[in-house]
Amino acid sequence: MKAMLDLVARHKTGQACGIYSVCSAHPLVIEAACVHALQGGVEVLLVEATCNQVNQDGGYTGMTPADFRDFVHAIAAKVGLPVERVLLGGDHLGPNPWTDLPAEAAMKKAEVLIEQYVAAGFRKIHADCSMSCADDPTPLPEATIARRAARLIAVAEAAQARVGGEPCVYVIGTEVPVPGGAAEDLPELEPTTPEAALATLEAHRALFAEEGLSDAWPRVIAIVVQPGVEFDHHKVIDYDRAKAAALSHAMDGQPHVVFEAHSTDYQTPRALKALVEDHFAILKVGPGVTFALREALWALDAIEREWLGEDRASGFRETAIARMQAEPKNWAKYYHAAGEALRFDLQYSLSDRIRYYWPDPQIAAAQTRMFANLTDNPPPMALVSQHLPQAHAILRDAGRPFAPADLVIAHVGVTLETYRAACTPQPEPAHV
């Protein structure tokens, strides 16, 4: 994956450049990412899937790796973004979906997972074997984690050699925030220590050599650490570069390794820029963009009700809430409130568990009705501006009508723009 290797090389020369990774399987989010990349001059768009979202059994999206590739490429083609500018990555690839099995059985499933990702054209691979399986101790020893990761990377190397194409690049390390945000109130976070980051790197390097993977080691481009960022249901811990100062320089002596930062969702533009400047050159965003999606959909529901009246409106928002209450499996472990507090969390929690419900047939049908209602009965500019002022301004400036899907795409694009700006080096000031 030459684009990623080149990015890391530029960063290592002192450029404050980075790349953001869109971790979502929602079609409107992927379309927003493609449109934003095309209009914003983004050189390459990185889209990643997790082992829980997409795997050989379908994951919670129902998609295999080949299905996800075709899904993303079709959306890119629809908006005119050349597929060569779309990079596919696999996030947390390992035995996580099968931890109820004994370790060896789970790892065999993970090997199939890795092989299918690489065969489908995914070339950025985060090998994550940090989770304990049914017959494992908890926590898992770091040596075991590293050995299992090397085992999966050997599978990836063999798969790439068989199918051809660009060699894979790899991300290692597992000291990450909880996927999707913390389930409880957060304490203060301490960044990973430089010593721990370097020890993880050395453990993997030694195992790569032991497993005959020395040729792959220069393509290990990043290590996942905890920079001190996180969010729970209601608040965000912002990046504190002073606390992360020692960590940020830990990879200075590593010619091909930067940091990958997970759970950067909801960080401020200034914090995102500081992360990239401090060598967290790969920024992951997931719930942050689907939260923006939900904001836009709720705004369209409000516009529809105000413009058409309750009797003619689709009832989209209430349908979504009702379906979440009827099928609590995707949020019951995370939300513990009751009554109005629970209703609030179902809609507005920063962990955004509602993202799992958009494919629900009843919710999807209500969304289709809402979009059709607003297409057939275009709301006035003033009402659109009231509820979606930034999306309204973007579409108006482009001379485009306020189509419902385009309003959603523009609103999600506002969040993506903070990431593009953070990852783009500032030009040197002109000398007079």
Side-chain angles (χ1 to χ4, degrees):
M1 192 177 273
K2 185 175 183 298
M4 294 297 298
L5 292 169
D6 289 349
L7 171 80
V8 173
R10 292 199 308 273
H11 189 94
K12 286 294 184 177
T13 65
Q15 291 187 44
C17 59
I19 190 169
Y20 59 91
S21 169
V22 178
C23 304
S24 176
H26 194 285
L28 282 173
V29 170
I30 299 299
E31 186 169 350
C34 290
V35 168
H36 176 261
L38 192 62
Q39 295 178 347
V42 174
E43 182 180 349
V44 288
L45 172 64
L46 177 58
V47 177
E48 299 203 49
T50 70
C51 61
N52 289 320
Q53 281 179 321
V54 173
N55 59 47
Q56 62 265 39
D57 301 324
Y60 67 72
T61 64
M63 286 188 276
T64 65
D67 293 334
F68 187 79
R69 173 202 62 205
D70 293 345
F71 163 73
V72 173
H73 284 179
I75 294 172
K78 171 187 169 184
V79 306
L81 180 68
V83 294
E84 311 87 69
R85 287 171 59 184
V86 179
L87 307 181
L88 295 176
D91 194 26
H92 295 290
L93 299 189
N96 191 53
W98 306 287
T99 52
D100 57 333
L101 300 175
E104 185 57 29
M107 284 298 294
K108 286 187 180 301
K109 297 277 280 186
E111 288 179 338
V112 174
L113 172 80
I114 292 282
E115 196 280 334
Q116 288 197 9
Y117 265 79
V118 175
F122 291 71
R123 286 296 181 271
K124 177 181 176 290
I125 303 296
H126 174 209
D128 182 3
C129 297
S130 61
M131 58 294 300
S132 296
C133 298
D135 56 351
D136 279 331
T138 302
L140 206 57
E142 183 161 343
T144 303
I145 294 170
R147 187 170 299 279
R148 289 178 183 177
R151 173 178 170 178
L152 295 185
I153 288 171
V155 171
E157 289 286 282
Q160 186 277 327
R162 177 175 60 81
V163 302
E166 285 191 284
C168 298
V169 296
Y170 299 106
V171 177
I172 60 171
T174 57
E175 191 169 342
V176 301
V178 179
E184 305 294 346
D185 286 345
L186 285 170
E188 286 300 310
L189 286 181
E190 289 300 323
T192 305
T193 65
E195 295 78 13
L198 288 167
T200 294
L201 197 69
E202 176 55 27
H204 283 78
R205 189 204 60 75
L207 278 167
F208 270 55
E210 185 180 318
E211 299 294 328
L213 295 170
S214 294
D215 288 348
W217 183 249
R219 289 181 274 112
V220 174
I221 60 167
I223 178 172
V224 179
V225 292
Q226 171 54 273
V229 301
E230 179 57 293
F231 58 93
D232 61 15
H233 299 321
H234 305 130
K235 68 177 182 295
V236 179
I237 294 181
D238 290 324
Y239 179 57
D240 183 341
R241 68 190 315 178
K243 290 179 67 174
L247 173 63
S248 73
H249 292 290
M251 295 298 122
D252 286 357
Q254 307 297 324
H256 56 84
V257 183
V258 295
F259 294 116
E260 178 169 285
H262 291 224
S263 287
T264 67
D265 313 76
Y266 313 112
Q267 292 292 309
T268 67
R270 180 179 295 183
L272 292 174
K273 188 66 178 173
L275 280 162
V276 174
E277 290 172 350
D278 292 347
H279 312 305
F280 300 92
I282 305 172
L283 304 178
K284 307 296 283 290
V285 59
V289 284
T290 53
F291 187 90
L293 167 74
R294 195 271 315 150
E295 286 180 324
L297 291 173
W298 262 213
L300 290 175
D301 175 88
I303 291 169
E304 182 197 26
R305 286 185 286 108
E306 191 164 353
W307 182 233
L308 299 180
E310 298 286 353
D311 292 343
R312 296 172 61 195
S314 62
F316 167 73
R317 178 172 168 175
E318 290 304 320
T319 298
I321 296 169
R323 292 301 299 145
M324 289 187 77
Q325 291 173 326
E327 299 288 344
K329 64 179 181 179
N330 289 314
W331 57 263
K333 293 190 298 183
Y334 305 94
Y335 303 155
H336 307 301
E340 286 303 309
L342 174 60
R343 183 180 170 89
F344 180 91
D345 283 346
L346 292 176
Q347 298 176 78
Y348 300 114
S349 167
L350 297 175
S351 60
D352 194 52
R353 308 304 298 184
I354 198 171
R355 69 187 185 275
Y356 296 99
Y357 291 85
W358 298 130
D360 177 274
Q362 292 183 43
I363 297 174
Q367 180 186 310
T368 298
R369 287 195 302 274
M370 179 174 69
F371 279 23
N373 282 346
L374 292 172
T375 301
D376 294 341
N377 305 275
M381 183 174 70
L383 190 56
V384 175
S385 181
Q386 173 66 37
H387 292 280
L388 287 167
Q390 291 173 295
H392 162 268
I394 290 167
L395 294 184
R396 187 180 178 209
D397 188 57
R400 298 173 59 191
F402 305 127
D406 289 343
L407 285 165
V408 173
I409 288 166
H411 185 77
V412 174
V414 172
T415 293
L416 293 171
E417 177 57 19
T418 65
Y419 282 86
R420 187 207 64 78
C423 292
T424 304
Q426 296 300 311
E428 293 292 331
H431 295 287
V432 179

